[in-house]
Amino acid sequence: MAEPDAARRFDAIIIGAGQAGPSLAGRLTAAGKSVAVIERHHFGGTCVNTGCKPTKTLVASAYAARMAQRAAEYGVVLDGAPRIDMKKVQSRAGKIIRDGRAGIETWLEGMDGCTVFRGHARFTGAHDVKVAGTALTAPHIFINVGGRASVPDLPGLGEVPYLTNSAMVELEAVPAHLVVVGGSYIGLEFAQMFRRFGSRVTLVEKSGRLIAREDEDVSATIREIVEAEGIEVRTGAECLSFARRDEGVAVRVGCTEGVPEIVGSHVLLAIGRRPNTDDLGLDAAGISTDGRGYITVDDHLQTSVPGVYALGDCNGRGAFTHTAYNDFEIVAANLLDGQDWKVSERLPGYALYTDPPLGRVGMTEAKARQTGRTLLVGKRPMTRVGRAVEKGETLGFMKVVVDAQTQRILGAAILGTGGDEAIHGLLDIMNADVPYTVFQRAVPIHPTVSELIPTLLAEMQPAT
C-alpha cells in the first residue's frame, strides 16, 4: 500500500503504554530511533491502573485488617474491634495508581526522540496508523494494547448491575454481600480482601473446584483457607443466570447442593480476560488473530505482517505484567542486541496473592505425570517451616516435582507465607538448567521459608 501523503514518518510506532511499550520506547530512542507512542486512555496499562498496583495495595490493607483481627493471638490488645475506613483504603490505592501513571507519562513525554500521541490508534495499512486525525507510518510497529475483563453472554446479565476488576478498585464503600462469579485468581483475591473488609462474600465457580488449572491439593487447600475466613464457596455452578431483586442481584447457580439462588448487594464478574484488539483495524493491516481475538505471533513475537509485533496480554502468550515486560526484553534483545531470544523458552511462573500467597513455577504435578517421566515428589506442610510457625502463619504447604532421570526440577508450588518470594529460588535454578542437587550445597539463611527448600528436595520420594 502506498504511503499516505501527509503521514508522519517514524522508525517505530508503539501502540499502548502498558508494561512493554514505555521500556521499549526507552531502548529504541537510546539507540537513536525516532519513536511514536500512542495511548488512548491511562498510561501504565492494566498493572498500574486496574491490576497489580491497586489490587496489591488493597491486599495489603486487607492483610492489615486481618492481623488486627488476630491481634490478641500475638499478645496485642486493641480497645474494641478494628474498623475499616474504605474511603481511606481506596484513597491510598488511588494515589499509588496516579503516581505510577504520572511517572510513566512524564518519562515518555521527556524522552528524547519520543513523540506521544493521545487517542485511539487504528491501522490503515500494514505499516500505517491513524490517531486523532494524524497519519503515522513506520517500518516497525509494536502493539501493546493489553486486555480487559471478559463479559460473557449469560442469561439476564445485561439486565443487572455488575462490577469488574476495574470498578472494584474504585469502591469507596464495603458491599454488604459481594457475590464473586469466578473462582480463579482474580476472583479469589477480591473475595478474600473484601471478606476481610467486612463484606459477606459468596464465591461462585462453574467448574468442580477452585483454580482448576492448579493441582487438586492446591485447590482444596485454598478452598479450606477461604472457607475458614467465612467465605461461602459454591462450585459446579454450570447454569448461571442473573435477575434483579429488591435486595440487589440474584445469581442463580444451579448447583446440586445448597440453595439454587444467591442474592447479593453487589456482583463481581471475574471469569477471564479478553484482548483489546477488536477496534484496531487489524484487518486493514492483514494482521491475523485467533478465535479469541488474540494476535497470533511467532517465537520472536512477530505477527503475520513482517515488522509488526504484538507484546503483552494481547498476544495470548502470557497474562502477567512480568511476561509483558519479558516480551519487551525479547524484542529488544533480538532487534537491538543481535540475540535470538524466543518466547517458547520462557518458564511459566506466577503468583496468586491470597493470604497466604501461592507461588508457582513450571509444571503442576498433574501435568508432569502426564508426560510419562519417572518423577520424584517432595511435599512439606508449612506447619514444619520454622519461620511460618514463628509468624503464626502456618497454612499451606510446599511441593516440588523433579525428573528423576535428568535431576531437573519440572515444577513447584509454595502455598504459604512468603511463597510468592520463596518460589524464586526454584525458578532461578530451573532457568539455570542445573540439577536440583545443586541446592544441597547452598547454605540458606535461618530463619526463612526458603531455607526449607533444600530439605524438601532431600526428602523427595518416587511418585507412586
Side-chain angles (χ1 to χ4, degrees):
M1 179 176 291
E3 177 189 330
D5 292 339
R8 294 183 59 177
R9 275 185 163 276
F10 292 89
D11 293 319
I13 297 170
I14 298 172
I15 304 173
Q19 286 304 301
S23 295
L24 181 58
R27 280 297 314 272
L28 289 169
T29 54
K33 308 292 185 182
S34 61
V35 178
V37 173
I38 305 170
E39 176 53 56
R40 68 175 181 175
H41 196 35
H42 294 312
F43 288 74
T46 298
C47 176
V48 169
N49 294 287
T50 60
C52 315
K53 280 188 175 292
T55 58
K56 278 45 182 181
T57 303
L58 295 174
V59 164
S61 292
Y63 180 76
R66 179 64 171 169
M67 294 310 292
Q69 293 161 4
R70 297 182 59 197
E73 299 176 29
Y74 296 85
V76 177
V77 180
L78 301 178
D79 295 329
R83 295 180 296 107
I84 302 298
D85 183 345
M86 196 61 200
K87 286 188 177 180
K88 188 168 185 178
V89 170
Q90 198 284 325
S91 176
R92 179 171 173 268
K95 182 179 186 305
I96 289 175
I97 291 171
R98 292 189 297 274
D99 288 350
R101 183 189 301 163
I104 293 170
E105 188 171 3
T106 300
W107 177 36
L108 288 170
E109 288 183 330
M111 188 180 293
D112 289 340
C114 178
T115 303
V116 175
F117 293 86
R118 290 170 175 79
H120 189 103
R122 289 179 177 85
F123 282 89
T124 57
H127 293 91
D128 306 311
V129 173
K130 181 169 283 189
V131 54
T134 301
L136 313 175
T137 186
H140 286 96
I141 298 180
F142 305 92
I143 307 169
N144 180 217
V145 294
R148 63 189 186 276
S150 177
V151 181
D153 185 17
L154 294 172
L157 186 58
E159 309 302 320
V160 301
Y162 59 84
L163 302 163
T164 64
N165 65 296
S166 299
M168 288 297 293
V169 301
E170 298 177 350
L171 288 182
E172 293 185 348
V174 176
H177 182 187
L178 177 64
V179 180
V180 179
V181 181
S184 196
Y185 306 92
I186 294 173
L188 280 163
E189 290 179 15
F190 278 115
Q192 188 182 54
M193 74 171 76
F194 276 90
R195 176 59 186 155
R196 291 178 170 191
F197 291 151
S199 295
R200 177 187 171 191
V201 177
T202 303
L203 185 60
V204 178
E205 168 55 37
K206 181 178 179 179
S207 69
R209 59 187 177 92
L210 302 178
I211 48 173
R213 68 181 288 181
E214 304 296 342
D215 281 326
E216 290 190 13
D217 54 358
V218 171
S219 174
T221 302
I222 288 176
R223 178 167 185 161
E224 292 171 3
I225 289 168
V226 299
E227 286 185 329
E229 292 193 27
I231 295 173
E232 181 184 4
V233 177
R234 300 290 300 274
T235 52
E238 297 184 357
C239 300
L240 284 169
S241 63
F242 302 81
R244 286 184 177 270
R245 295 288 186 270
D246 291 341
E247 313 95 302
V249 178
V251 182
R252 188 165 186 83
V253 296
C255 300
T256 56
E257 297 180 2
V259 295
E261 184 176 281
I262 301 162
V263 179
S265 61
H266 296 69
V267 171
L268 165 64
L269 292 184
I271 44 183
R273 306 279 293 171
R274 60 176 298 183
N276 293 327
T277 59
D278 44 351
D279 195 17
L280 289 176
L282 297 179
D283 289 345
I287 297 171
S288 299
T289 59
D290 66 13
R292 298 181 297 162
Y294 290 98
I295 298 172
T296 54
V297 294
D298 63 16
D299 224 8
H300 295 114
L301 300 173
Q302 187 168 226
T303 71
S304 56
V305 175
V308 179
Y309 297 77
L311 297 79
D313 293 3
C314 68
N315 65 22
R317 303 297 292 269
F320 307 102
T321 297
H322 54 278
T323 54
Y325 188 82
N326 183 238
D327 285 356
F328 142 68
E329 293 177 310
I330 290 170
V331 168
N334 294 340
L335 294 183
L336 299 174
D337 302 332
Q339 302 294 313
D340 185 25
W341 290 20
K342 299 180 176 68
V343 69
S344 60
E345 296 172 343
R346 180 163 65 204
L347 269 174
Y350 53 89
L352 164 67
Y353 290 94
T354 50
D355 175 31
L358 168 68
R360 277 275 294 109
V361 63
M363 297 182 187
T364 62
E365 181 183 351
K367 288 290 186 184
R369 287 179 180 272
Q370 291 172 10
T371 67
R373 293 180 171 97
T374 302
L375 304 178
L376 299 173
V377 179
K379 189 171 180 180
R380 171 172 283 253
M382 297 303 288
T383 53
R384 294 177 58 204
V385 176
R387 182 67 172 145
V389 173
E390 293 149 11
K391 293 176 69 176
E393 299 180 2
T394 56
L395 300 174
F397 60 87
M398 301 191 295
K399 181 169 68 170
V400 65
V401 182
V402 168
D403 184 320
Q405 183 175 359
T406 66
Q407 295 191 328
R408 264 52 176 184
I409 298 172
L410 298 177
I414 302 181
L415 173 57
T417 183
D420 54 327
E421 293 285 352
I423 197 68
H424 285 89
L426 293 158
L427 188 155
D428 290 343
I429 204 167
M430 290 173 70
N431 267 307
D433 192 26
V434 296
Y436 77 91
T437 51
V438 170
F439 254 120
Q440 306 306 313
R441 302 175 66 178
V443 182
I445 296 171
H446 174 80
T448 60
V449 173
S450 296
E451 72 172 316
L452 270 300
I453 293 176
T455 304
L456 174 66
L457 293 169
E459 296 174 346
M460 287 187 302
Q461 299 295 321
T464 55

